[in-house]
Amino acid sequence: MITNKKPRSSDTDSNYMRDDRTEMSEDDDRSPPSDSITNDSCPTRNCTPGSGSGSSSIPEYLAPYPDQVLENVLENVLWFLTSRKDRNAASLVCRSWYRVEALTRSDLFIGNCYAVSPKRATSRFSRIRSVTLKGKPRFADFNLMPPNWGAHFAPWVSAMAKAYPWLEKVHLKRMSVTDDDLALLAESFSGFKELVLVCCDGFGTSGLAVVASRCRQLKVLDLIESEVSDDEVDWISFFPDTETCLESLIFDCVDCPIDFDALERLVARSPSLKKLRLNRSISIGQLYHLMVRAPQLTHLGTGSFSPSEDVAHVEQEPDYVSAFAACKSLVCLSGFREIIPDYLPAIYPICSNLTSLNFSYANISAEQVKPIISNCHKLQIFWVLDSICDEGLQAVAATCKELRELRVFPIEAREDIEGPVSEVGLQAISEGCRKLQSILYFCQRMTNAAVIAMSKNCPDLVVFRLCIMGRHRPDDVTGEPMDEGFGAIVMNCKKLTRLAVSGLLTDRAFAYIGKYGKIVRTLSVAFAGDSDMGLKYVLEGCPRLQKLEIRDSPFGDAALLSGLHHYYNMRFLWMSTCKLSRQGCQQIAQALPRLVVEVIKHEDNVDMEEVVDTLYMYRSLEGPREDVPQFVSILEDRHMKEGALMWKTDISARCWTTIRSVCIVNVRWVINAKYAQHMHGPYTFSGNVVVQVHVGDPLAHRVGFHWMRIPILKDMYGSDHISILVLLELISLMVKAKLIVKVGSDCAFE
Amino acid sequence: MAITCPYRPSHADPIAHVEISVCEQRLLENMEGGVAYENDLNLKATELRLGLPGTDCTKEEQAVSGARNNKRPLKETSEECRAKGKSDAPHDDQGTATAPKAQIVGWPPIRSYRKNNLQPKKAEAEAAAGMYVKVSMDGAPYLRKIDLKVYNGYPELLKALENMFKLTIGEYSEREGYKGSEYAPTYEDKDGDLMLVGDVPWDMFLSSCKKLRIMKGSEARGLGCGCETDLDFLMQHVSTCSGINRFIAYEKYVTFQSDLDVQEMSSMIF
């Protein structure tokens, strides 16, 4: 018996660039920083230790039995476990731990919304306070996926509305959210505190209005790079007239005009407001008024940073410098959507405090950025346009010794132009910013030498994303492929987990990645490689690989098949415009029943059935999804369709390393009709169960199917019905103990 | 009984809204395994089908998922919304290259939001020269923006609208408005009146048009030229209107045909 206690409330993410943080935080290691434990969560226990004869019997309580005490202890201990990876591991110890872990988990993270169903998630975890859901794969951002592909929030919010009435936080990335979903969310969760929508679409200002008006406890409303349609509803004025709890209001991507007076009043009655990022309808004059109202801000997005058109220029302009100077806590600055560089000096007073500066929408030159950046000694995160040229980057390198993250975006995203930044800028940064951990660099030309220099100068690199915009461009000086540069990165940067490659690359580059990239989790490949060997190197060499996205590279079926041993350990694989055939993808589907293999057709390619335009595949406990649009076909194991039952279990990914997959075949004659209706519940088996076990040998790259018949006798509680979980645990033990050695073809099922 | 967003603008198509609820219901149903099973142990009942939608599924589910596709416009169109009318459709990668090198879809990998918001100075200059008006279409969740100065007259404008929203508008006639389709282009002028596109000379239209709206269905059919229509047409218009619009229609009608049976008419209105 677990006593009924209030789950801990989740925290707000205090990092600046939220989408960047989610890009960097992968499945396992990073866990959200935990709140300090409130008084509630550790009550003194009202039960006596098991060994007691003199149990102080409080009339309401029965004296607990020893196992229960252990469970109580366990529950208390598990509260402290915040890392998802640790929790997943703990849940596999035994049933008791599984159950208690499920009861004590308060943050639900689902990296692929189609990997589990809402029902399964809500059945297992009953006390969730915070949900993070990710939908579409990243390449969907670049129009590589037709619209209406899926990732709908609707089934999730419906399920959560019933299961988690105390839900406080929802964080979505690349999901389709409708106004009705937002309305349901606002209606269902009375204590709702945080809504963060990153790269989402499908909703408009009317949805925001509902959230603003109904979520009275709202602390965080962050809309980051999402598409928000203009329903001509002034959502800002829907916040209640009373003082609000708002701590963070980020709406720089909402491209609709705002009633400024309503916004000003809102800011005035939000004393806790720390983060405010305005959209570009806000002029610098309006910004001034807001800053005066909210000098306590720590994060500010400045809006347009230019005057509105109807302001007469002869009027005296407010003292912007003093407004910035008054914001003594300001550490993070962004915006500058339509910057008039003359106003830049206004930010001088706070430069020395800044840890994060985002100029990535500001078309400013090296001369204009130098006076700013030369004061930013504490800067850790810097996003900028390549308009500052190599010279501007040199200025950054000279001053920003604490720089952890740099992103250089192109002003003109084209291939055939000269380009203002080059290997010179990269070299300078590598020499000046030794603590660099993450870099995203767009350029037109690059050399191996500069990349090698960075690999040596910046050993802390975790994320290295270099985009040489000219496809297949070699080293600008030597004319050689960029293999050695990227090779040096994986070799020297021992902490590297995310890599994006570009330029002219042969299979050799991939051989390096396979050989040295042992902790790489995310790999993005475009227009690279010579043959199947390239992909094979990666699939065979990178055991931690979870997200692999490839476009326009010459990898075919043979390469795809070489990854069979690994696909269950990955979140997804994306391959578009490669050399895959339908047959090859079908083989994968056949071998790995727990993989959903989606083949997406491009619009203009209606005839060629055999050629696969886009392959998107991911592990899932649910099988093919229900909401498939007509341009997607899901390939399935043909054998499984005939008379077989696919089982859905809660076995976590870790189990897959021992058993490749387990499919219960022809169990119809065991299950009676009563269970047939509860396909998602915990099943039990009795009698004989015939099991098809897929096992793989990673070194030999073989995948085999083994049939076995397991007679179910009794479980540890003396019942002759056991649950699927126990069954699979049993099989896993048998595999480990090498009891399963014989391939059986004499199974008695018909 | 789905909870819906109360603040959606009134011209949003109610049918589109129902589609979502149906979809949502289906998803819920499917989640709960709610396809009914018989009580006796027959094999089909206990068999979990893994078929693709459309193979084993009922036709209904197919229709629903198909209908759902219609609800949202293409991604490219929504990006054009951002691009302020520039026809920079990213899907046009197959050879319609105006640049020296053919533009590849999704390369370089910059999010379209960033691409379209990146040259504000240029866009500002163009905006000053252009005449941007919002275009909404009944039932579509996204608003679009177009530059009226780009067009030389009504035919071009209508063609552009047809291309933008993938529909046909039909031919304009003074008497009967737009025949031949269920869509009618309307606009709101400086005085806030709802006008049919084409009623006034082009120059006057340019100077007075504040925003465009493509109406759909019976409301569109009823928007003729006002009181010159015959009785049946007007009656039909009145019956499809509600509230204040009904009253206005009635007013127009009464001034035109004074010897009508008022009783009959009022029974429709009130």
Side-chain angles (χ1 to χ4, degrees):
Chain A
M1 180 194 77
I2 309 286
T3 57
N4 203 16
K5 74 179 156 193
K6 220 159 74 86
R8 278 183 313 174
S9 52
S10 56
D11 54 287
T12 38
D13 187 350
S14 55
N15 268 20
Y16 158 54
M17 313 266 182
R18 201 178 304 280
D19 55 339
D20 169 62
R21 173 152 159 86
T22 42
E23 278 171 343
M24 287 188 60
S25 86
E26 302 297 333
D27 310 63
D28 321 62
D29 300 8
R30 293 169 205 252
S31 53
S34 57
D35 269 346
S36 56
I37 309 292
T38 63
N39 290 337
D40 268 346
S41 57
C42 294
T44 38
R45 284 282 170 193
N46 283 332
C47 51
T48 55
S51 62
S53 46
S55 46
S56 57
S57 42
I58 302 151
E60 296 81 35
Y61 295 105
L62 298 171
Y65 56 88
D67 281 350
Q68 185 184 333
V69 171
L70 283 175
E71 278 200 0
N72 289 340
V73 170
L74 183 64
E75 191 192 345
N76 274 318
V77 168
L78 284 184
W79 278 117
F80 290 89
L81 218 55
T82 48
S83 146
R84 276 195 320 268
K85 188 179 183 187
D86 293 343
R87 280 190 162 270
N88 290 339
S91 70
L92 288 178
V93 170
C94 64
R95 273 200 293 192
S96 180
W97 281 55
Y98 177 89
R99 201 171 50 237
V100 175
E101 190 283 312
L103 283 170
T104 56
R105 191 185 291 227
S106 60
D107 300 319
L108 189 62
F109 173 91
I110 294 172
N112 175 1
C113 63
Y114 287 121
V116 294
S117 68
K119 178 142 188 155
R120 179 187 300 275
T122 53
S123 312
R124 177 171 169 182
F125 301 106
S126 54
R127 295 184 180 174
I128 296 293
R129 282 276 161 125
S130 149
V131 172
T132 301
L133 272 177
K134 296 192 183 179
K136 295 175 230 184
R138 199 178 70 98
F139 273 10
D141 289 352
F142 314 124
N143 305 327
L144 291 180
M145 184 173 252
N148 294 334
W149 171 81
H152 302 288
F153 184 45
W156 288 93
V157 66
S158 309
M160 295 192 302
K162 295 178 197 138
Y164 306 140
W166 46 74
L167 191 69
E168 291 178 356
K169 171 176 170 181
V170 167
H171 184 155
L172 304 178
K173 186 167 185 180
R174 291 195 191 94
M175 301 278 299
S176 287
V177 183
T178 65
D179 293 323
D180 292 337
D181 296 336
L182 293 176
L184 183 58
L185 183 146
E187 291 292 338
S188 312
F189 311 119
S190 54
F192 195 73
K193 296 203 173 100
E194 273 188 48
L195 181 63
V196 178
L197 301 176
V198 181
C199 300
C200 296
D201 62 3
F203 63 101
T205 48
S206 47
L208 297 180
V210 187
V211 172
S213 68
R214 301 301 252 213
C215 301
R216 296 287 161 132
Q217 312 291 328
L218 197 68
K219 284 191 190 172
V220 172
L221 180 57
D222 288 351
L223 307 162
I224 297 169
E225 296 200 29
S226 296
E227 276 188 42
V228 184
S229 72
D230 186 355
D231 302 333
E232 301 187 0
V233 172
D234 182 37
W235 57 283
I236 289 284
S237 42
F238 279 80
F239 281 95
D241 287 329
T242 54
E243 209 172 79
T244 75
C245 315
L246 275 180
E247 294 175 8
S248 172
L249 182 62
I250 295 181
F251 62 97
D252 47 355
C253 64
V254 182
D255 260 345
C256 323
I258 294 265
D259 175 2
F260 178 71
D261 293 328
L263 177 63
E264 193 176 4
R265 286 194 300 272
L266 176 65
V267 170
R269 63 180 192 275
S270 304
S272 312
L273 195 65
K274 291 283 193 293
K275 303 185 191 179
L276 180 64
R277 289 209 240 155
L278 308 164
N279 69 9
R280 61 176 169 183
S281 70
I282 304 293
S283 69
I284 192 169
Q286 292 170 328
L287 172 68
Y288 173 83
H289 289 291
L290 292 174
M291 287 179 74
V292 160
R293 291 237 180 240
Q296 79 279 6
L297 289 176
T298 57
H299 295 55
L300 176 64
T302 63
S304 67
F305 214 69
S306 55
S308 66
E309 285 124 22
D310 20 294
V311 164
H313 288 285
V314 289
E315 275 180 24
Q316 189 181 19
E317 296 217 76
D319 185 1
Y320 298 118
V321 177
S322 67
F324 274 95
C327 293
K328 304 216 182 295
S329 317
L330 210 50
V331 291
C332 170
L333 200 55
S334 63
F336 309 103
R337 292 298 176 115
E338 287 161 17
I339 188 174
I340 296 209
D342 303 336
Y343 289 101
L344 263 181
I347 72 173
Y348 286 159
I350 48 139
C351 285
S352 50
N353 292 335
L354 284 181
T355 55
S356 171
L357 180 56
N358 182 350
F359 272 148
S360 66
Y361 290 96
N363 189 350
I364 54 178
S365 67
E367 286 314 307
Q368 288 160 342
V369 82
K370 274 186 196 171
I372 308 277
I373 210 74
S374 56
N375 289 323
C376 295
H377 301 278
K378 290 191 190 163
L379 204 61
Q380 295 188 13
I381 300 176
F382 188 46
W383 291 20
V384 72
L385 286 177
D386 61 4
S387 57
I388 66 167
C389 304
D390 288 328
E391 198 186 331
L393 290 173
Q394 284 164 334
V396 173
T399 317
C400 305
K401 299 301 174 191
E402 297 298 316
L403 200 66
R404 303 282 194 269
E405 176 181 328
L406 175 68
R407 295 198 191 190
V408 180
F409 294 96
I411 269 231
E412 273 195 79
R414 282 168 48 179
E415 296 184 68
D416 47 354
I417 50 178
E418 193 39 46
V421 298
S422 68
E423 68 273 7
V424 173
L426 192 73
Q427 178 95 24
I429 292 290
S430 78
E431 286 164 6
C433 308
R434 298 296 174 114
K435 298 187 185 176
L436 201 64
Q437 292 174 358
S438 167
I439 183 164
L440 170 62
Y441 197 87
F442 284 87
C443 56
Q444 293 290 348
R445 38 179 253 257
M446 186 47 59
T447 63
N448 281 305
V451 178
I452 293 172
M454 177 156 271
S455 76
K456 292 184 177 154
N457 292 333
C458 305
D460 292 338
L461 273 179
V462 176
V463 174
F464 184 79
R465 299 159 67 189
L466 176 63
C467 183
I468 305 167
M469 288 190 275
R471 289 167 285 151
H472 311 294
R473 262 193 96 136
D475 182 316
D476 203 62
V477 167
T478 66
E480 285 180 0
M482 293 298 298
D483 298 340
E484 297 307 315
F486 285 103
I489 291 284
V490 282
M491 221 186 312
N492 298 330
C493 302
K494 308 271 192 271
K495 303 180 188 176
L496 195 79
T497 57
R498 181 170 179 182
L499 180 64
V501 301
S502 62
L504 179 66
L505 292 171
T506 70
D507 288 342
R508 194 183 170 85
F510 296 100
Y512 282 135
I513 296 172
K515 186 168 178 192
Y516 296 107
K518 293 305 176 190
I519 57 169
V520 169
R521 288 204 294 256
T522 307
L523 180 63
S524 307
V525 177
F527 304 100
D530 300 322
S531 72
D532 284 345
M533 284 314 295
L535 181 54
K536 274 191 189 172
Y537 287 134
V538 170
L539 288 171
E540 290 167 9
C542 302
R544 294 290 175 91
L545 194 61
Q546 298 201 351
K547 300 190 251 183
L548 180 55
E549 44 190 30
I550 304 175
R551 64 165 295 182
D552 295 275
S553 301
F555 306 133
D557 296 341
L560 190 65
L561 286 165
S562 68
L564 277 175
H565 65 285
H566 188 62
Y567 292 137
Y568 280 152
N569 293 331
M570 290 177 65
R571 192 184 291 175
F572 72 81
L573 168 68
W574 168 290
M575 286 178 71
S576 59
T577 323
C578 296
K579 289 193 166 10
L580 298 174
S581 78
R582 206 174 173 93
Q583 198 184 3
C585 299
Q586 185 69 50
Q587 278 184 280
I588 301 283
Q590 208 112 336
L592 301 174
R594 284 248 181 269
L595 217 58
V596 174
V597 179
E598 295 195 13
V599 169
I600 303 171
K601 274 243 156 285
H602 292 170
E603 291 174 339
D604 36 358
N605 200 1
V606 275
D607 308 314
M608 326 233 309
E609 271 298 316
E610 260 313 299
V611 170
V612 164
D613 297 323
T614 298
L615 168 71
Y616 178 55
M617 61 191 209
Y618 48 91
R619 67 188 166 197
S620 171
L621 295 171
E622 314 300 339
R625 56 189 172 109
E626 310 277 347
D627 58 355
V628 183
Q630 24 101 276
F631 52 80
V632 171
S633 39
I634 296 186
L635 304 183
E636 294 171 88
D637 183 0
R638 291 202 192 98
H639 298 151
M640 296 308 290
K641 267 167 97 167
E642 297 146 16
L645 254 141
M646 180 73 80
W647 221 263
K648 304 170 189 193
T649 75
D650 268 339
I651 292 293
S652 79
R654 250 187 47 164
C655 244
W656 298 121
T657 57
T658 37
I659 319 170
R660 294 303 153 205
S661 79
V662 176
C663 313
I664 314 296
V665 177
N666 268 9
V667 200
R668 287 195 299 246
W669 48 274
V670 175
I671 304 248
N672 61 37
K674 181 173 78 169
Y675 289 101
Q677 292 186 28
H678 302 281
M679 288 300 165
H680 294 269
Y683 299 82
T684 62
F685 299 91
S686 61
N688 286 310
V689 176
V690 179
V691 175
Q692 180 189 55
V693 180
H694 299 219
V695 292
D697 180 353
L699 294 173
H701 307 297
R702 277 196 310 264
V703 175
F705 304 80
H706 300 271
W707 301 100
M708 37 186 285
R709 188 187 315 172
I710 302 176
I712 307 299
L713 301 173
K714 290 197 188 298
D715 75 348
M716 56 176 151
Y717 290 115
S719 151
D720 60 353
H721 286 73
I722 65 165
S723 74
I724 178 66
L725 201 68
V726 174
L727 174 65
L728 291 166
E729 282 168 13
L730 186 64
I731 295 169
S732 135
L733 284 171
M734 291 200 280
V735 167
K736 267 197 194 138
K738 300 200 194 312
L739 288 175
I740 299 178
V741 291
K742 195 164 163 58
V743 176
S745 59
D746 58 345
C747 359
F749 66 96
E750 244 78 77
Chain B
M1 49 130 240
I3 292 184
T4 63
C5 179
Y7 305 121
R8 227 204 315 248
S10 54
H11 61 260
D13 190 355
I15 297 174
H17 165 68
V18 165
E19 279 174 21
I20 295 181
S21 309
V22 172
C23 269
E24 191 185 321
Q25 265 174 20
R26 288 232 165 257
L27 286 168
L28 284 175
E29 266 175 48
N30 285 326
M31 268 168 31
E32 292 157 19
V35 181
Y37 285 101
E38 282 99 359
N39 280 331
D40 59 315
L41 179 65
N42 74 59
L43 298 181
K44 193 142 172 70
T46 56
E47 187 177 5
L48 253 189
R49 292 176 309 234
L50 301 177
L52 301 170
T55 55
D56 280 340
C57 279
T58 61
K59 287 280 180 290
E60 233 183 298
E61 279 185 14
Q62 237 181 334
V64 163
S65 62
R68 201 156 191 216
N69 281 341
N70 289 337
K71 203 222 166 227
R72 301 232 297 264
L74 295 173
K75 183 82 180 283
E76 61 185 344
T77 60
S78 68
E79 274 149 21
E80 285 179 289
C81 182
R82 309 254 168 254
K84 294 195 194 301
K86 287 189 208 158
S87 49
D88 186 22
H91 273 291
D92 278 351
D93 59 314
Q94 306 293 337
T96 56
T98 48
K101 204 165 182 178
Q103 296 289 318
I104 295 284
V105 174
W107 188 262
I110 311 273
R111 291 195 182 123
S112 44
Y113 177 79
R114 187 172 279 283
K115 259 197 258 201
N116 295 328
N117 281 287
L118 208 40
Q119 312 222 13
K121 289 183 192 156
K122 269 198 204 165
E124 282 301 326
E126 284 186 39
M131 240 201 86
Y132 286 95
V133 293
K134 288 184 185 171
V135 187
S136 64
M137 180 165 97
D138 290 354
Y142 293 110
L143 287 180
R144 315 287 303 280
K145 266 193 180 157
I146 58 169
D147 179 5
L148 290 181
K149 286 247 164 77
V150 164
Y151 308 106
N152 292 326
Y154 284 122
E156 268 189 43
L157 170 65
L158 293 172
K159 195 86 205 311
L161 289 176
E162 284 183 341
N163 285 339
M164 202 182 279
F165 291 101
K166 308 277 187 288
L167 46 80
T168 47
I169 290 180
E171 268 200 32
Y172 173 75
S173 78
E174 249 191 35
R175 192 174 137 77
E176 288 167 349
Y178 285 86
K179 291 215 96 170
S181 94
E182 51 169 336
Y183 294 99
T186 66
Y187 68 99
E188 190 181 301
D189 69 1
K190 277 195 292 219
D191 308 322
D193 293 328
L194 192 67
M195 307 276 284
L196 195 63
V197 168
D199 279 350
V200 302
W202 176 252
D203 292 322
M204 197 185 297
F205 167 72
L206 276 186
S207 59
S208 61
C209 172
K210 284 290 156 218
K211 61 165 113 163
L212 284 162
R213 173 182 158 196
I214 300 186
M215 287 170 71
K216 192 178 150 177
S218 46
E219 228 181 317
R221 276 192 290 276
L223 204 64
C225 209
C227 33
E228 274 79 29
T229 55
D230 61 29
L231 174 61
D232 284 344
F233 196 51
L234 194 59
M235 292 275 275
Q236 189 185 33
H237 176 50
V238 167
S239 68
T240 60
C241 295
S242 62
I244 190 70
N245 290 335
R246 245 192 179 168
F247 183 74
I248 293 169
Y250 174 54
E251 289 256 75
K252 279 191 177 154
Y253 176 79
V254 165
T255 55
F256 178 64
Q257 280 225 348
S258 50
D259 56 347
L260 174 75
D261 187 342
V262 177
Q263 205 70 19
E264 198 177 290
M265 178 60 105
S266 46
S267 70
M268 284 173 63
I269 295 175
F270 300 110

